[in-house]
Amino acid sequence: MTTILLAFFASYLISVTHAQFLCDYTGAPGPVFLDVTETATVGEVVGSLTVAGNDNQIILEQVAKNSLVKFVPESREIVLISNLPEWVDHFFAASTDPLNRDQVPRIEVDIRCTDKSLASKISTIQVKIDVNDVNNKTPYFVNTPYHTNISELTPIGYTVFENIEAKDDDYSFPNNFVFFVIEDGPFSDYVEISNQYQGRIILRKHLDFRHITSFYVTIVAKDSGSPALFARENITVDIIDEDNLNPVFINSPYSAQILYSTKPETEIETLPGPVEAKDQDQGILSSINYSIEYGSDGYFTINNQTGVVTLRKPVSRGMRFYMMVKATEAVNADHYATTSLNVEVVGNNKNAPVFTESSYRVDVLENVPVGSTVLRITATDEDGEPELLKYSIVGGNQIDDFAMSEKGELITYHKLDFLTTAAYQFTAQVSDGTHTAESIIRVIVVNTNNKNPTFLKSDYNFNASRKGNEYIGTTIASDITGQRITYKLLGYERYFYVTNAGDLYTTGHVAELEHSNYEVTVTACNDDSTHLAEDGRCSVTSVTITMPKLEQAREAFIRAGGTYSAAIVTLAVIAGLMLICIIVLVILLIKQKKLTTMVQQRTTHLTQACNIEASYAQAVLQRKEAVANGEGLANPYYCAYGDYQATDHVDDVSDHSDRPLDAGSTERLYKQRTKSSPAAPIPGGLTGNGTSLKQSVNGLASDAGQKEKKRVTIGSIEEVDDWGGDHPQSDSQVETILDPNVSVEPIRDNELSEAARPELTIYF
């Protein structure tokens, strides 16, 4: 049993391990690189893929259709289905950058591998096919036909023609590298190519109109491929007839070396011989006059008749003179010849030159034009002849990108690229002809803004709502130069905007749009390089924004608006109720304030009217004593005849025992007063001793019993007017004012004693 379990477990491990390696391919995880020549025929197998797994385990299929190649799953081969030369020509024709011809065209195709046992396990195999150049393009001349006119007197070595140009449309070296040769012919010995890589033709043989009036030579342009392809083109040269032959110098050009110690007036010995010219017209043999046209700078002179050159003033070692000598026929100044005479001043050389700096450093912008001088180095020589020093580069990296002139000028020879080479280091040498010295030159390439930002996608598609200030999506761009990127929106700026991070948003006006699809353009620009005086560079991408149709947006807005309206109405109702409550409270406060003011005014009036004398206190005490003896009720006293006014004297508190006092309330006044009659003095006088007060009260009661009583209704209770009809107040003159907080008990008929009292009992 154990053996069976172990075998099953081992089988399971093998199957799992096997499944893990399905879809693995040679070269994983990177792309598969294949090569094909541009002349490959249709149906040719470009290459095959080696992928783990058989057809029962995996599925191989091409992701997208390709017009040039296709993948055959059964054989796992990639087969060519279209001619490549036409595609290659179109590839380069579509590019506006001439440097793209140095690229290798590439075909890319993706193969998808799916594990049948695990449908979710899908991997993509990238296949990159480089189309290799074949030397199948023939060079061709431009700016043809070629024709020129030259004088029969043109000196040997002069340029006859220099505008010959040829091109080759192959895209790799050496197939597109063209050079020139002159094909052998009847006149090929008249001219020669000065440099086989340049189209400059110089005269090689004297011309004589008497023997030849015109000739042609055949120029061959060859590429460097194998086998080499070539093209031919003729150049026609017409010779201009002159009246007479010009004189000619013998053994020209001339040169000479002299010591810097040579004395003035010394004749100079020239090489390869003396300066001499002769007339080519053998029948005339005109005498020749010599002159130095330029280059002597006043240091040399030439004998007009003999051509002997003489030093005029002292010179220094290292000086060089490049002079033009002219020979003119004496009988005809229009007939002449010219030649060059180079003189070099030399001397003793004991000391080696010394650089002024042990090393040099210079920072150079990568976009500096080719041929620019970026540095000048100098050296000194104790021999005192700095003009003799010659400078050169003898070592360093990428020395082909720079050149050194003999004067110590470091000149750019090729275009610089910071991303390719950020720094150079050279060994410079100076020589005085015998001794040398060396110094280090370091060139730092400064990066410039020469790359456009790149969007991750060429176009974007986003969905957006019709609400304002809502996020739509993000466009992302990168810059290989590391510059900061800013974004800008072109089109529909009223309805959309983009942030400096590339985020798109709607504006508050987006609801005005009627359609559902809008296409805008987003630009990504890197910053200006102010210190390099460069403008920013930009790229663009297209963004398609899709929004809900207008009907759907309106329905959504109505639904959202209904809920919103209900909330608004509810809040309005609550606010209205609160406003009503505030108004009611304000009205109550105003009423309370008016009532309080009125009571205060009446209290002030009572205090003024009831100016009772000091003996009043004694009468009150007597009244309290009488009440204690059961002689009567405790009632308020009246002040001012004709008015009912209840006093609130603090001593009159003993009669309140039959009704509880409200300690928290204020004392209220019950008043019945005459509107028109003035207040009368208290009847009988309330001054003096207690006896007089009592008599006065009894007198009042006696008089009141004889008068007719009046009933005045206060609230729902009748009040008896004990003053009777003879009271000066008529019914219309009686005004009853009752505070709702005062309880009034009227006097009943059966309650009147013998001595009726015009009193009211008031409870506070």
Side-chain angles (χ1 to χ4, degrees):
M1 185 63 178
T2 302
T3 303
I4 295 174
L5 290 175
L6 289 174
F8 176 79
F9 182 72
S11 176
Y12 173 77
L13 287 178
I14 292 172
S15 63
V16 170
T17 303
H18 179 69
Q20 291 177 346
F21 288 95
L22 291 178
C23 290
D24 284 354
Y25 59 95
T26 302
V32 176
F33 291 93
L34 300 175
D35 293 310
V36 64
T37 62
E38 66 173 326
T39 56
T41 59
V42 175
E44 183 176 333
V45 176
V46 177
S48 60
L49 300 181
T50 303
V51 185
N54 55 40
D55 294 341
N56 296 326
Q57 296 172 318
I58 61 174
I59 299 174
L60 291 173
E61 56 186 348
Q62 186 171 332
V63 175
K65 185 178 180 181
N66 192 292
S67 62
L68 299 174
V69 295
K70 72 175 181 178
F71 176 71
V72 181
E74 294 78 11
S75 61
R76 302 186 181 182
E77 295 176 337
I78 297 176
V79 180
L80 187 66
I81 62 173
S82 180
N83 289 322
L84 292 178
E86 296 179 0
W87 177 78
V88 170
D89 291 341
H90 179 73
F91 175 86
F92 288 111
S95 174
T96 58
D97 187 358
L99 296 178
N100 283 342
R101 298 206 67 85
D102 294 331
Q103 298 182 17
V104 176
R106 175 173 288 175
I107 304 170
E108 297 185 359
V109 61
D110 293 336
I111 308 300
R112 183 188 297 117
C113 180
T114 305
D115 188 346
K116 289 184 177 181
S117 62
L118 297 171
S120 61
K121 183 181 179 183
I122 300 174
S123 60
T124 300
I125 304 172
Q126 293 182 333
V127 180
K128 300 180 182 295
I129 305 170
D130 289 337
V131 181
N132 296 327
D133 182 32
V134 175
N135 189 25
N136 59 345
K137 299 292 191 303
T138 302
Y140 57 92
F141 289 89
V142 297
N143 301 323
T144 58
Y146 299 135
H147 180 273
T148 187
N149 299 319
I150 63 172
S151 170
E152 65 172 349
L153 302 179
T154 302
I156 295 174
Y158 272 58
T159 300
V160 175
F161 197 86
E162 58 182 358
N163 295 323
I164 296 176
E165 183 180 1
K167 294 183 178 181
D168 192 316
D169 288 339
D170 286 309
Y171 54 89
S172 68
F173 180 86
N175 296 337
N176 59 359
F177 191 74
V178 179
F179 60 95
F180 303 95
V181 296
I182 296 178
E183 192 175 64
D184 290 339
F187 306 103
S188 59
D189 58 339
Y190 276 86
V191 293
E192 64 180 354
I193 301 289
S194 63
N195 187 324
Q196 64 177 348
Y197 304 111
Q198 298 176 354
R200 189 163 68 96
I201 299 176
I202 63 174
L203 190 62
R204 182 183 177 188
K205 184 178 179 180
H206 287 294
L207 301 176
D208 190 346
F209 188 79
R210 294 172 299 173
H211 301 102
I212 184 173
T213 60
S214 178
F215 67 91
Y216 71 91
V217 291
T218 301
I219 309 298
V220 178
K222 290 185 178 182
D223 62 29
S224 301
S226 180
L229 301 179
F230 59 89
R232 293 184 176 90
E233 184 68 28
N234 290 336
I235 176 171
T236 302
V237 179
D238 291 333
I239 300 172
I240 300 173
D241 185 20
E242 301 292 348
D243 292 340
N244 295 301
L245 294 176
N246 288 327
V248 60
F249 282 96
I250 302 172
N251 299 321
S252 66
Y254 302 96
S255 63
Q257 283 189 341
I258 62 174
L259 293 174
Y260 69 94
S261 58
T262 301
K263 303 297 182 179
E265 305 302 329
T266 301
E267 294 184 357
I268 305 303
E269 183 180 355
T270 59
L271 296 175
V275 176
E276 182 183 2
K278 65 177 182 178
D279 188 0
Q280 297 184 76
D281 297 323
Q282 297 296 326
I284 301 177
L285 294 176
S286 174
S287 60
I288 304 297
N289 295 329
Y290 299 94
S291 63
I292 297 177
E293 295 298 304
Y294 62 83
S296 69
D297 297 332
Y299 284 88
F300 298 92
T301 185
I302 190 171
N303 186 284
N304 184 42
Q305 303 297 322
T306 63
V308 174
V309 178
T310 304
L311 181 65
R312 292 185 59 189
K313 58 184 180 178
V315 292
S316 301
R317 187 170 66 88
M319 296 180 68
R320 293 176 180 272
F321 300 90
Y322 302 92
M323 296 175 281
M324 174 182 281
V325 179
K326 182 178 181 181
T328 307
E329 292 184 3
V331 296
N332 188 350
D334 294 331
H335 298 158
Y336 61 88
T338 60
T339 190
S340 60
L341 170 59
N342 300 331
V343 178
E344 179 182 9
V345 181
V346 297
N348 297 327
N349 190 359
K350 298 179 180 179
N351 301 290
V354 177
F355 277 102
T356 56
E357 301 288 342
S358 60
S359 63
Y360 297 86
R361 168 179 169 151
V362 62
D363 295 341
V364 180
L365 297 177
E366 66 173 341
N367 61 354
V368 65
V370 174
S372 299
T373 299
V374 297
L375 177 67
R376 184 188 298 274
I377 61 177
T378 58
T380 60
D381 193 336
E382 291 186 3
D383 293 325
E385 301 294 338
E387 297 84 359
L388 188 63
L389 301 179
K390 295 183 179 180
Y391 300 85
S392 62
I393 295 176
V394 295
N397 68 322
Q398 298 290 333
I399 59 175
D400 291 340
D401 289 344
F402 291 89
M404 177 72 72
S405 71
E406 291 185 354
K407 295 181 179 180
E409 298 169 331
L410 185 64
I411 303 170
T412 56
Y413 194 71
H414 290 114
K415 183 176 177 58
L416 304 181
D417 188 352
F418 173 83
L419 299 178
T420 302
T421 306
Y424 297 84
Q425 183 166 311
F426 309 120
T427 300
Q429 184 183 88
V430 60
S431 173
D432 61 4
T434 303
H435 307 286
T436 61
E438 294 183 351
S439 180
I440 299 299
I441 299 177
R442 183 170 176 80
V443 179
I444 305 300
V445 180
V446 179
N447 188 20
T448 58
N449 186 17
N450 59 355
K451 302 293 183 183
N452 293 334
T454 304
F455 279 97
L456 294 185
K457 297 180 180 179
S458 59
D459 57 84
Y460 292 83
N461 293 278
F462 297 125
N463 294 323
S465 67
R466 292 183 179 269
K467 297 180 180 179
N469 299 318
E470 285 209 353
Y471 172 76
I472 299 175
T474 300
T475 58
I476 301 176
S478 60
D479 191 342
I480 191 173
T481 63
Q483 299 283 341
R484 184 173 65 91
I485 296 177
T486 56
Y487 297 84
K488 184 178 180 182
L489 183 70
L490 302 178
Y492 298 98
E493 294 90 339
R494 176 179 172 83
Y495 312 103
F496 309 101
Y497 68 92
V498 63
T499 68
N500 280 337
D503 298 329
L504 282 168
Y505 286 85
T506 60
T507 69
H509 303 284
V510 70
E512 302 172 3
L513 297 176
E514 298 181 355
H515 302 290
S516 58
N517 290 318
Y518 294 89
E519 183 170 325
V520 299
T521 299
V522 175
T523 65
C525 299
N526 53 29
D527 282 347
D528 299 346
S529 298
T530 305
H531 66 289
L532 299 179
E534 294 180 336
D535 295 331
R537 302 177 71 93
C538 302
S539 293
V540 299
T541 187
S542 175
V543 179
T544 301
I545 301 175
T546 302
M547 298 189 296
K549 292 184 178 179
L550 195 59
E551 295 76 8
Q552 298 174 354
R554 288 175 177 171
E555 292 176 1
F557 178 77
I558 292 173
R559 288 196 298 270
T563 305
Y564 180 73
S565 299
I568 292 297
V569 171
T570 302
L571 292 174
V573 171
I574 294 174
L577 292 175
M578 292 179 66
L579 181 62
I580 292 173
C581 292
I582 292 171
I583 293 173
V584 171
L585 288 174
V586 171
I587 293 174
L588 290 176
L589 289 173
I590 293 174
K591 286 185 176 181
Q592 183 65 31
K593 184 176 181 181
K594 289 183 178 180
L595 183 59
T596 301
T597 303
M598 181 184 70
V599 172
Q600 291 176 350
Q601 292 174 352
R602 297 302 299 169
T603 302
T604 303
H605 179 72
L606 275 174
T607 302
Q608 296 173 353
C610 296
N611 189 14
I612 302 174
E613 299 176 358
S615 61
Y616 174 75
Q618 182 180 359
V620 172
L621 293 174
Q622 293 174 354
R623 183 175 177 274
K624 288 183 178 181
E625 182 180 354
V627 173
N629 295 331
E631 297 179 358
L633 297 173
N635 291 314
Y637 299 99
Y638 290 90
C639 294
Y641 179 80
D643 284 343
Y644 287 168
Q645 294 181 341
T647 65
D648 54 354
H649 200 278
V650 295
D651 292 331
D652 191 11
V653 295
S654 60
D655 296 334
H656 292 211
S657 59
D658 58 341
R659 192 177 293 268
L661 283 174
D662 183 2
S665 65
T666 60
E667 296 180 348
R668 306 294 181 183
L669 299 176
Y670 170 75
K671 302 175 292 177
Q672 183 176 5
R673 62 186 178 83
T674 305
K675 293 181 180 179
S676 60
S677 301
I682 300 175
L686 296 177
T687 62
N689 54 30
T691 304
S692 62
L693 178 63
K694 187 175 181 181
Q695 292 174 352
S696 298
V697 172
N698 290 335
L700 287 172
S702 173
D703 293 336
Q706 300 175 1
K707 294 178 182 179
E708 181 182 358
K709 298 183 177 68
K710 283 187 179 181
R711 295 184 180 277
V712 180
T713 301
I714 302 175
S716 60
I717 303 175
E718 293 181 346
E719 178 187 359
V720 179
D721 184 0
D722 289 331
W723 296 106
D726 295 336
H727 193 278
Q729 302 178 130
S730 63
D731 292 342
S732 62
Q733 294 174 324
V734 176
E735 178 183 3
T736 300
I737 302 174
L738 182 63
D739 190 322
N741 294 322
V742 177
S743 175
V744 179
E745 180 182 352
I747 301 174
R748 307 296 180 183
D749 291 342
N750 56 2
E751 296 176 351
L752 292 174
S753 62
E754 234 171 15
R757 295 168 302 194
E759 298 175 344
L760 292 175
T761 300
I762 302 173
Y763 295 94
F764 293 92

